[in-house]
Amino acid sequence: MTGLMINQRIDSWFLSNWYSPSPSPFPWPLHALLSLGAWSYAKGLYHHQSRAKKHRSKLPAFVISVGNLVVGGTGKTPLTLWLAGHFHSLGWKPAILSRGYRRKDSGIARVPAIGDSGREVLQYGDESVLMARRAGPVPVWVGSNRCMAGYQAVENDGADLLILDDGFQHLALERDLDLALLDAANPFGNGRLLPLGPLREPPMHLDRADAILLTRAEDPERCGETRSRLAGMLPGKDVFSCTHRLTGLKRGLDGQHILLDTLRGRKVVAFSGIARPESFTQLLRKEGIVVSRSFAFPDHYQYLDADMVLLLNSMKASDTPFLVTTEKDMVRLRPEFQAFALAAVVELDFAADHQAFCDFLQERLSSR
């Protein structure tokens, strides 16, 4: 058994406990250690948030925060891009503010929309690089001080609307609209705070949000159960639903677009380094794509040459002509490896809630 397979099994076991409403208990010594960590985390969270609220900064633009309560992918990046495109189409001048997770530099910078993505990821962070590639004319700014990054966006790009990516916990910056995302099928995991569970904050902290967006709402029954649960916790809170929809694929990062029909019924080797890798393979299978092998790497993983050799050998061994990954993973690949893979293009679909969500946004903009 390879080191990667062992890591995959450990990660799968750990995450199954985190995200299961009825988890099998951790072994006693580990449970005690994680419980102590969760207690310490709660104390630190209270201190940090109390201090941040006393020293809040305000930017000279309309600020929308996009964030979540649970560690892991709930669709913050797709929603941020959707909002950027929506407001740009209405004549606003939006800009995206990101902290640039795991970047080597903490300074403020405007992320370029072209270039060697493998190098840019180290400088700006993978999500920031992806958003800069996908956001078109909407600029993306990174910086650990997102207030100063916002001032730069206003001054240099004339931004009048700022979208704060992953901003629900960033209380040091005032916002005009707070949007919190939850997985419709599994909103709170095991309900425990980090590191015993996946929660960044207790569920009742959702009362800070102006609206809650339920993502991955493909199952009407489970989505309805979550809506009912939220209605009991937070009466009167606006709740909207959306799904992740695979709209196509493209060769490399900026290459030829490929229709989904080309891969339906065909075998692929899938790989991803995201928080919830199973959600990616489920998305492919939902569209009739046959996933012959799937490889899960750690979130935000920096791929090595040996990893790509492993994937290419897997394609050859399984007689599979396609190697498919996420766009966020694609930006982390070296250019010479990007040519071998297809990136799955995923967008949000609000379906029946589309008009209601647009009306909600317009009402909040008008009132403030």
Side-chain angles (χ1 to χ4, degrees), residues 151-165:
Y151 275 114
Q152 291 292 325
V154 172
E155 182 177 342
N156 291 281
D157 295 313
D160 53 15
L161 186 146
L162 301 170
I163 305 170
L164 185 62
D165 177 55

Side-chain angles (χ1 to χ4, degrees), residues 26-33:
F26 290 109
W28 163 243
L30 178 60
H31 186 276
L33 184 62

Side-chain angles (χ1 to χ4, degrees), residues 57-75:
S57 301
K58 184 169 179 59
L59 288 166
F62 192 93
V63 177
I64 301 176
S65 168
V66 174
N68 62 1
L69 210 64
V70 175
V71 171
T74 50

Side-chain angles (χ1 to χ4, degrees), residues 123-154:
Q123 188 173 358
Y124 307 110
D126 55 0
E127 291 167 344
S128 303
V129 171
L130 172 59
M131 288 189 291
R133 298 294 179 104
R134 287 280 308 273
V138 176
V140 177
W141 287 82
V142 294
S144 56
N145 187 329
R146 277 183 275 186
C147 181
M148 294 306 299
Y151 275 114
Q152 291 292 325
V154 172

Side-chain angles (χ1 to χ4, degrees), residues 241-278:
S241 302
C242 61
T243 60
H244 289 69
R245 185 164 57 92
L246 183 60
T247 59
L249 303 107
K250 57 185 178 181
R251 177 75 64 180
L253 194 58
D254 303 304
Q256 173 190 7
H257 281 258
I258 298 172
L259 297 176
L260 281 177
D261 286 343
T262 306
L263 265 71
R264 286 195 174 102
R266 307 285 298 277
K267 292 196 302 181
V268 305
V269 170
F271 72 98
S272 62
I274 56 177
R276 306 283 291 277
E278 75 285 353

